[in-house]
Amino acid sequence: MESTVASKLDALLRLQSLDSQLDKILQIRGDLPEEVRDLEDEIAGYQVRVSKFDEEIAELQQSIASRKQGIKDAEKLIKKYEEQQENVRNNREFDAITKEIELQKLEIQINEKKIREANFQIEQKNIEIQETKNRLEERQKDLNTKNGELQVMVNESEEDERKLNEEKEEAVKHIEERLLFAYNRIRKNVRNGLAVVTVKRDACGGCFNTVPPQRQSDIAAKKKITVCEHCGRILADVEQKVIA
């Protein structure tokens, strides 16, 4: 039983060591990966905006075409009504046709007004499209620069990262699912990513709170898995004190 618990603790310590080395690689990259993701999201947002403007312009152009056809239809009706006026039999028919002509002229005026408004909207949207494209171009340049910087860092550590990930995959195989779940949960909840630590100078290697001597003896014996009563980290071993 003792060797089983000890082997579990050793496996957890090994996994923690690998993760800590991977964390250092990521720390060197700093905020670059996040900056790249933010720029990519911003660029995607600009692209969606331009696409939306294009769709709105297409709808406005379709509306203009429809209203221009409406003007042509109204002009044809006016011509038809004017011809009919020449053959009216009384004033009542003349007045009725005159009213229809006035209605068609009003329809033409409304369509012309709507066309002017649509053309103005198209002009404004084209201005916004150009401004958006200018911002998009600037952000694309920033993204290219950041991507270049990030790629240099990735290339420098690529081999080390690959080896560490391979070793991590192997290490995980020797840890039961329940412990692995607890390990990952603790890592997510602590700032420095240390889920498994040793007792150093009578203190927890994660939160630095004092660990009582009897508790240290239990940890060193490795008969059971012990967690820090202050931070919840797994205490896997006790560092041997150096006697001067």
Side-chain angles (χ1 to χ4, degrees):
M1 179 63 72
E2 291 180 19
S3 61
T4 302
V5 173
S7 64
K8 289 177 181 179
L9 291 170
D10 289 343
L12 285 169
L13 272 174
R14 174 62 177 158
L15 179 60
Q16 180 65 75
S17 173
L18 294 168
D19 272 331
S20 293
Q21 292 177 70
L22 285 166
D23 288 344
K24 286 180 181 178
I25 290 174
L26 295 179
Q27 286 170 5
I28 292 172
R29 295 173 190 170
D31 296 329
L32 267 178
E34 187 175 346
E35 289 174 7
V36 167
R37 285 192 295 272
D38 289 344
L39 283 168
E40 288 173 341
D41 290 343
E42 188 176 355
I43 287 171
Y46 286 142
Q47 290 171 335
V48 169
R49 188 181 301 179
V50 169
S51 177
K52 185 178 179 182
F53 282 144
D54 286 338
E55 290 174 3
E56 291 172 351
I57 287 174
E59 290 175 3
L60 287 167
Q61 289 173 334
Q62 186 176 356
S63 173
I64 289 172
S66 176
R67 291 191 178 280
K68 283 183 177 179
Q69 184 60 49
I71 291 172
K72 289 181 181 179
D73 294 341
E75 288 172 342
K76 287 180 181 179
L77 286 172
I78 290 172
K79 186 176 181 181
K80 175 185 173 183
Y81 291 142
E82 287 174 344
E83 290 174 354
Q84 289 178 354
Q85 271 184 329
E86 296 176 0
N87 300 310
V88 295
R89 289 170 295 183
N90 52 55
N91 287 338
R92 189 175 64 182
E93 288 183 4
F94 184 87
D95 290 342
I97 292 173
T98 299
K99 187 176 181 180
E100 289 297 329
I101 290 173
E102 289 174 351
L103 286 173
Q104 293 305 315
K105 286 182 177 179
L106 179 61
E107 184 68 19
I108 289 173
Q109 291 175 359
I110 292 172
N111 280 326
E112 287 175 341
K113 181 185 177 183
K114 294 296 183 181
I115 288 172
R116 287 194 298 271
E117 290 174 353
N119 278 324
F120 177 77
Q121 289 180 51
I122 288 173
E123 288 176 8
Q124 294 303 305
K125 289 183 185 300
N126 278 324
I127 291 172
E128 291 185 64
I129 285 174
Q130 191 55 54
E131 290 176 350
T132 303
K133 284 183 175 179
N134 290 340
R135 288 195 292 271
L136 193 155
E137 186 178 348
E138 290 173 3
R139 288 295 178 268
Q140 188 63 57
K141 289 178 181 177
D142 292 339
L143 176 60
N144 292 340
T145 300
K146 297 290 184 183
N147 258 329
E149 294 173 4
L150 180 59
Q151 195 57 50
V152 169
M153 291 185 176
V154 170
N155 290 340
E156 288 175 350
S157 59
E158 186 174 20
E159 184 61 23
D160 290 338
E161 191 173 1
R162 183 187 64 78
K163 289 180 179 178
L164 287 169
N165 277 316
E166 287 179 355
E167 291 180 37
K168 180 178 174 179
E169 287 180 14
E170 184 61 31
V172 166
K173 294 177 183 177
H174 302 286
I175 301 174
E176 61 186 69
E177 188 175 345
R178 178 181 60 85
L179 279 177
L180 186 60
F181 177 82
Y183 169 83
N184 288 325
R185 178 177 55 78
I186 296 170
R187 259 179 66 80
K188 288 179 182 178
N189 292 332
V190 293
R191 286 188 302 173
N192 55 13
L194 293 176
V196 183
V197 296
T198 58
V199 176
K200 297 180 180 180
R201 297 180 181 177
D202 300 325
C204 168
C207 66
F208 309 112
N209 278 290
T210 301
V211 179
Q214 182 55 51
R215 197 169 181 82
Q216 289 187 46
S217 298
D218 293 340
I219 295 166
K222 297 187 177 183
K223 293 181 179 180
K224 62 179 181 179
I225 293 176
T226 306
V227 298
C228 175
E229 59 186 8
H230 298 284
C231 66
R233 290 178 172 87
I234 297 171
L235 299 171
D237 203 352
V238 177
E239 184 180 60
Q240 296 297 319
K241 297 179 181 179
V242 178
I243 300 176

